[in-house]
Amino acid sequence: MIGSWLQPLRHRLILLFLIVLVVPSVFGIGAAVGNFKVQISAAHDATLRFSELASNYESNLLWQSQQIAQNLSRDEDVLAVLRGAQDTPTRGACDVAFARAVQPYPPYGAAVLFDLNGEALCQWDQSKRLINVSGRTWFKNVIATKSPSISGYLVSPILNEPIIAYGAPIFDVNGVLKGVVALAIRLNWLAAVGQEPGLPGMAEVTLLDHRGKVLVNSAGGENQSAHLPSPEDINRITTGGLRQFEATGGDGRRRIFAVNALGNSSLFVLLGIPRASVVDPLLNDLLVQIGILCLVSIAGMMAAILGARFLVTKWTEKLAAAADGMALGRLDTVSELRGAPIEIWQLGENLKSMAIRLEHREADLRESLAQKQLMLREIHHRVKNNLQIVTSLLNLYARLPRSEAFREAFGELQIRINALALVHRHLYESEDLKEIDLAPFMKNLCNMLQDGSGVAARRVSVQLEVPELRMSGDRAVPLALLTTEIVTNSFKHAFPDGRTGLIDIRLDVTADGDASLSIADNGIGPSATAPANPASTMGTTLIAAFAKQLGGKMTVAGPPGTTTVIHFHTLATNRPI
């Protein structure tokens, strides 16, 4: 199907321009899509950097808490209390050390030194009565891991406000754990999360504890969880290490999320950017690039189609029409090619010159053919006349005093020569001088055989059924002589003593050219009509020879009567019958 579509020149030109224009456009579209994916990946990477930027304040606050805890762990008054000093001056000096360490920093609401049982040893503000914290999870983590730990969301009973607790271990000089320094960080001082310079204006930042509870949110308002992902995603953040993903928030908007974990994954800064604000501009740029490439390809294809039509195929179609006309014998059909490209114009001029030469050559051939046909017609006519002269001479010799057998042989020879003459007559009367119309020829042949036999038609009649068929002279000659021998034999031997009868001649031809000639008489039959004389033997020999020349197969049946059937092909062939 593709091969047939590509046969016209116009379609091939279209395919060429399609390859030239569309293929680069397809690669361009592929490159644009690839660049789009790279930009999307870069946008995801940027959200990670933004989440780190949004964590600056919290990271600094945790680092500051670590420094305060380390300074207190090296203070001599604090170490003295841990070694068991219970005197009031030492305890007071420890309280002063704690006050001096945290008072300059407003984010801290309390600073306390706890022993390993969770009892307060000294604190920044003695006016606040502290409870035992041995059951607190963050305290247990510090004792168990001997490393700093951060609590989740807490409400301080002494501050009456939400806090997170930062706990750090204190060791003696031998590295033995002696106590825990705890700092209460006010959540209202973390409310500035997400306000760092350099963050996108549409970024939404949330601080989560290790349980996934919202500590603070940059969006503010009552519904602070509207922009958050699903609880399943939050659980994957706090327990599964999920750090970058896309999800739909509670408000139905799709967002790109990035997570920065702080304090040994005790706190999580979750930054979300609406996907539309990141992807839509990139997608619009991609669609514009694809649209431009498609428009360029379409415009190029239209220009190519129109250009091919008016510059090439318009003229080649005229040349093709002229060539088709020449193929049909119209040699004056080369149209005017004024305005065509020089190559096509030159081709048209060459075609005109060739048409003129062909026309002259055709005229010469027609004249030569007419002369040859006239000559062939004259040859057939002269052959027919010569055969008639031979027949007349034989007739004269037959009248001389001779025996009856001699005159009978001369008569049979005359009939055979007349059959040949009849073939040549029909050949020179035909239009092409090569083939004869079999039906009228067989009718004339049967009439000639009836007249030559001397048997009246009212005593022995001939019934003929032959279809309309044209046959070459080479096939008609053996068929005529074969028919002559069989019919003549029937006239002579099938109806003795004035007996009446019928000779039926029938020819059947299939669409493939297979023919069957049947010659049947209702005479006395072959067993009674087989005289032992040389003339009869020669007739039988000739019948077999003519059947072989036709390439046919002959069968003879009877009595009653005699039926001879010959199967052959109307065209010369070596195919077996």
Side-chain angles (χ1 to χ4, degrees):
M1 181 179 179
I2 296 177
S4 61
W5 185 85
L6 286 176
Q7 288 181 355
L9 176 62
R10 184 179 183 183
H11 292 174
R12 295 187 182 189
L13 290 174
I14 291 175
L15 179 62
L16 176 62
F17 286 116
L18 187 69
I19 294 173
V20 172
L21 293 173
V22 175
V23 172
S25 298
V26 170
F27 279 108
I29 291 174
V33 172
N35 185 53
F36 171 75
K37 293 180 178 179
V38 170
Q39 290 178 323
I40 292 296
S41 178
H44 283 77
D45 293 340
T47 57
L48 283 174
R49 294 192 296 271
F50 287 143
S51 67
E52 294 173 358
L53 178 62
S55 307
N56 280 345
Y57 180 76
E58 290 74 13
S59 298
N60 292 335
L61 187 59
L62 293 179
W63 179 82
Q64 186 180 49
S65 300
Q66 183 181 7
Q67 295 301 312
I68 291 174
Q70 288 179 355
N71 292 334
L72 289 174
S73 66
R74 292 191 292 267
D75 189 277
E76 288 298 330
D77 295 324
V78 173
L79 293 174
V81 171
L82 290 175
R83 286 192 293 267
Q86 298 294 326
D87 56 287
T88 300
T90 302
R91 295 288 294 271
C94 179
D95 293 338
V96 171
F98 270 78
R100 186 172 56 248
V102 298
Q103 269 187 336
Y105 307 107
Y108 300 104
V112 184
L113 175 64
F114 292 101
D115 62 17
L116 298 181
N117 297 319
E119 295 292 341
L121 298 178
C122 57
Q123 62 187 60
W124 163 28
D125 188 355
Q126 285 291 335
S127 64
K128 297 179 176 60
R129 182 176 179 80
L130 300 178
I131 62 176
N132 186 289
V133 296
S134 60
R136 300 287 186 178
T137 302
W138 61 269
F139 184 82
K140 293 179 180 180
N141 289 338
V142 174
I143 299 298
T145 63
K146 299 180 180 180
S147 61
S149 178
I150 301 174
S151 73
Y153 179 88
L154 296 174
V155 176
S156 173
I158 59 175
L159 297 177
N160 197 27
E161 62 178 289
I163 64 167
I164 57 173
Y166 176 86
I170 297 181
F171 304 93
D172 62 11
V173 293
N174 297 319
V176 178
L177 179 63
K178 290 298 185 178
V180 175
V181 174
L183 301 176
I185 302 175
R186 292 187 170 98
L187 290 186
N188 60 352
W189 279 92
L190 299 177
V193 64
Q195 297 182 9
E196 285 79 1
L199 288 180
M202 73 291 295
E204 297 159 334
V205 183
T206 303
L207 183 63
L208 306 174
D209 64 12
H210 62 274
R211 296 187 299 268
K213 182 176 178 58
V214 176
L215 300 179
V216 290
N217 189 297
S218 63
E222 296 181 358
N223 192 9
Q224 296 187 2
S225 62
H227 68 282
L228 295 180
S230 65
E232 291 79 10
D233 289 328
I234 292 179
N235 183 61
R236 290 168 60 199
I237 292 173
T238 57
T239 62
L242 182 63
R243 294 297 176 261
Q244 188 182 56
F245 60 98
E246 285 190 20
T248 302
D251 56 1
R253 296 180 67 183
R254 191 78 175 170
R255 289 177 172 82
I256 301 174
F257 290 99
V259 180
N260 188 30
L262 304 175
N264 294 326
S265 298
S266 297
L267 298 177
F268 302 91
V269 176
L270 176 65
L271 180 138
I273 299 177
R275 189 178 189 276
S277 64
V278 176
V279 176
D280 285 358
L282 300 178
L283 184 59
N284 290 337
D285 291 343
L286 175 63
L287 295 177
V288 169
Q289 294 179 45
I290 293 176
I292 292 174
L293 291 173
C294 291
L295 288 176
V296 170
S297 298
I298 293 172
M301 283 298 300
M302 293 301 297
I305 292 172
L306 295 176
R309 171 62 184 164
F310 290 105
L311 295 179
V312 180
T313 58
K314 171 184 175 181
W315 308 106
T316 56
E317 287 175 0
K318 289 187 176 182
L319 287 177
D324 291 340
M326 292 175 64
L328 297 175
R330 301 192 302 270
L331 301 179
D332 56 346
T333 57
V334 179
S335 58
E336 181 62 41
L337 297 175
R338 190 180 304 276
I342 185 64
E343 295 84 0
I344 296 179
W345 180 82
Q346 289 177 346
L347 182 59
E349 292 300 311
N350 293 337
L351 196 59
K352 285 183 181 179
S353 300
M354 184 175 65
I356 294 172
R357 291 194 298 270
L358 285 175
E359 191 171 7
H360 293 164
R361 179 61 177 165
E362 186 178 358
D364 295 340
L365 290 175
R366 282 197 298 267
E367 183 179 355
S368 175
L369 180 60
Q371 292 176 354
K372 291 181 179 179
Q373 286 179 336
L374 180 61
M375 184 182 300
L376 187 58
R377 195 180 302 276
E378 182 65 22
I379 290 172
H380 283 300
H381 184 64
R382 291 188 181 188
V383 169
K384 189 265 296 184
N385 290 340
N386 291 336
L387 290 174
Q388 287 180 343
I389 292 172
V390 172
T391 303
S392 299
L393 291 174
L394 291 174
N395 192 29
L396 289 174
Y397 278 105
R399 293 176 183 177
L400 296 175
R402 297 287 190 277
S403 66
E404 183 65 28
F406 185 82
R407 284 195 298 272
E408 184 178 336
F410 261 72
E412 292 177 358
L413 184 58
Q414 283 179 306
I415 290 174
R416 294 175 185 128
I417 294 174
N418 285 334
L420 288 174
L422 185 63
V423 173
H424 283 280
R425 194 192 87 183
H426 277 266
L427 281 173
Y428 82 73
E429 288 178 352
S430 66
E431 293 183 359
D432 58 4
L433 303 176
K434 296 180 180 179
E435 296 180 334
I436 64 173
D437 290 325
L438 195 59
F441 168 75
M442 291 293 287
K443 182 178 181 181
N444 291 339
L445 179 62
C446 290
N447 291 336
M448 184 190 73
L449 296 175
Q450 179 97 50
D451 294 340
S453 68
V455 178
R458 62 178 175 271
R459 184 166 75 86
V460 178
S461 62
V462 178
Q463 181 174 311
L464 179 67
E465 187 175 342
V466 177
E468 294 294 331
L469 178 67
R470 290 185 65 80
M471 182 177 288
S472 68
D474 292 339
R475 307 292 286 169
V477 168
L479 180 64
L481 294 175
L482 179 64
T483 304
T484 298
E485 294 297 328
I486 297 173
V487 174
T488 300
N489 189 62
S490 294
F491 276 125
K492 287 176 58 178
H493 304 293
F495 307 101
D497 303 326
R499 184 171 178 168
T500 61
L502 172 68
I503 300 175
D504 181 63
I505 303 173
R506 186 183 304 273
L507 179 66
D508 296 316
V509 182
T510 67
D512 295 333
D514 294 331
S516 175
L517 174 64
S518 173
I519 303 176
D521 63 61
N522 58 355
I524 61 175
S527 60
T529 60
N533 59 68
S536 176
T537 302
M538 185 178 70
T540 303
T541 303
L542 289 174
I543 290 173
F546 295 144
K548 183 177 181 181
Q549 188 176 352
L550 276 173
K553 181 179 180 182
M554 183 177 68
T555 60
V556 180
T562 303
T563 301
T564 305
V565 179
I566 301 95
H567 297 282
F568 65 99
H569 298 293
T570 57
L571 299 177
T573 177
N574 294 325
R575 204 160 41 118
I577 301 299

